[in-house]
Amino acid sequence: MERRTFVKQSTLFCASTLVLPLKPGLSSTQQVRIGLASDTHYAEREVAGTRYYTGALQKMEEFVNTMNTEQVDFVMHLGDFKDEDETKSEANTLGYLQTIEAVYAKFNGPRYHCIGNHDVDSITKTQFLEQVTNTEVATKKGYYSFDANGFHFVVLDGNHTQEGKDHFYKTGQDWQDTNLGTAQLTWLAQDLSATALPVVVFCHHPLYEFFRDGHKYHVNDYKAAQKLLEANGNVLAVFQGHVHAEDYVTRNGIHYVTVLGMVDYEGLDNNSFSLLEIKDNQMILKGYKRSNSFTYTL
């Protein structure tokens, strides 16, 4: 299926609106509320283009406070949690990560991270994972899964070379050469086969083809990932960041939703985050500040 126009949350559905049957395994009584943020890029560095790095800390505080007030079931950050300064200092970068994680930790509930390309710039993936909390997730890999409120959630990690090695951009790797890799795809197939619950997937990098301004933003093996998600039959949606733009496609009944970056533009008036609610045969994405609101029929 080709790109479709978003359905605004505020739009009234007419009598002829098609309501599709529930996905297999999705009960009409199941619901979950999730706080979504992406591309915070916190660092103490000069403004670059639209990116106001230092202001991202205050924006994260607003996100956490809002989600605490809303009492969402958990929060998910879609990657590029922190950034680095011009010195590319390992010590400085670890400090930025610790500072932004301390704010994120003020959420009164479970919290999770996707790993973005800027999360493995001056520090390794292992260093990043040692400094953050993915609530009750035992693995120290960038990909994992968990259950909540009768749903199964999968977090994927596109920060691998084609040979399956972890990205570490200080060694000069190409940020556009991103892959899930054979080992992760094998794990994904096994993970999906072990659950009968409706599934929602999170990944920093798009799992569908996305080019902009001559750059590639999707993972190289997105087709293999899509094939596994479609074969499962219970996958509702994939949420992604990375491109700092709102975008949406459907592929064989699965919604692929890309959200704005928090770091862009100055001040809290330009903050950007969302509250995702899945219930009653719908996914409702309530946007705050620059983020728009949308409703998707399941």
Side-chain angles (χ1 to χ4, degrees), residues 90-263:
E90 177 183 309
N92 288 354
T93 303
L94 284 171
Y96 303 143
L97 176 56
Q98 291 162 353
T99 298
I100 192 72
E101 175 70 3
V103 175
Y104 194 49
K106 292 179 181 178
F107 174 68
N108 299 325
R111 64 187 192 274
Y112 303 94
H113 301 76
C114 296
I115 297 182
N117 50 301
H118 285 272
D119 294 323
V120 288
D121 44 26
S122 300
I123 60 173
T124 66
K125 189 177 294 183
T126 298
Q127 287 176 301
F128 179 85
L129 289 169
E130 286 174 346
Q131 298 295 329
V132 302
T133 294
N134 294 314
T135 302
E136 296 185 355
V137 174
T139 182
K140 284 301 180 181
K141 293 182 178 179
Y143 54 91
Y144 55 92
S145 65
F146 60 96
D147 294 341
N149 292 47
F151 294 84
H152 186 67
F153 298 96
V154 177
V155 178
L156 298 179
D157 175 10
N159 295 285
H160 300 92
T161 66
Q162 292 188 14
E163 296 75 28
K165 296 181 180 179
D166 284 339
H167 274 177
F168 177 38
Y169 289 101
K170 209 168 187 177
T171 61
Q173 291 165 347
D174 181 2
W175 69 270
Q176 297 176 90
D177 182 21
T178 55
N179 305 267
L180 299 175
T182 302
Q184 185 172 186
L185 288 170
T186 299
W187 170 86
L188 177 60
Q190 294 170 344
D191 183 79
L192 291 174
S193 68
T195 184
L197 298 175
V199 179
V200 176
V201 179
F202 304 102
C203 187
H204 179 67
H205 301 83
L207 298 188
Y208 63 95
E209 188 175 79
F210 194 106
F211 291 96
R212 188 178 65 187
D213 300 330
H215 297 300
K216 181 182 75 66
Y217 289 87
H218 54 274
V219 294
N220 291 325
D221 42 7
Y222 72 93
K223 290 184 179 179
Q226 286 183 5
K227 186 176 181 180
L228 292 176
L229 301 181
E230 292 165 11
N232 173 262
N234 284 340
V235 179
L236 306 178
V238 183
F239 289 87
Q240 301 123 134
H242 191 39
V243 300
H244 295 236
E246 289 176 332
D247 196 58
Y248 169 68
V249 299
T250 56
R251 295 289 183 267
N252 294 319
I254 298 174
H255 302 271
Y256 293 80
V257 182
T258 302
V259 302
L260 291 177
M262 183 177 279
V263 70

Side-chain angles (χ1 to χ4, degrees), residues 4-5 14 24 29-30 42 50-51 54 58 67 74 76 80 85 108 135 161 181 184 215 237 242 262 271 282 294:
R4 293 182 177 177
T5 303
C14 65
T29 62
Q30 286 171 295
Y42 171 66
T50 63
R51 298 186 182 186
T54 60
Q58 190 178 19
M67 294 305 134
F74 65 86
M76 174 66 67
D80 284 356
D85 60 35
N108 299 325
T135 302
T161 66
Q184 185 172 186
H215 297 300
H242 191 39
M262 183 177 279
N271 205 353
Q282 291 183 331
F294 307 101

Side-chain angles (χ1 to χ4, degrees), residues 17-67:
T17 298
L18 176 64
V19 178
L20 301 177
L22 291 169
K23 281 268 188 175
L26 178 59
S27 164
S28 60
T29 62
Q30 286 171 295
Q31 66 178 57
V32 65
R33 300 171 77 243
I34 305 162
L36 285 181
S38 190
D39 294 273
T40 311
H41 287 270
Y42 171 66
E44 293 298 320
R45 60 179 292 180
E46 294 297 319
V47 175
T50 63
R51 298 186 182 186
Y52 286 73
Y53 298 95
T54 60
L57 195 64
Q58 190 178 19
K59 290 178 178 179
M60 176 59 77
E61 289 175 345
E62 182 177 50
F63 166 71
V64 169
N65 290 338
T66 302
M67 294 305 134

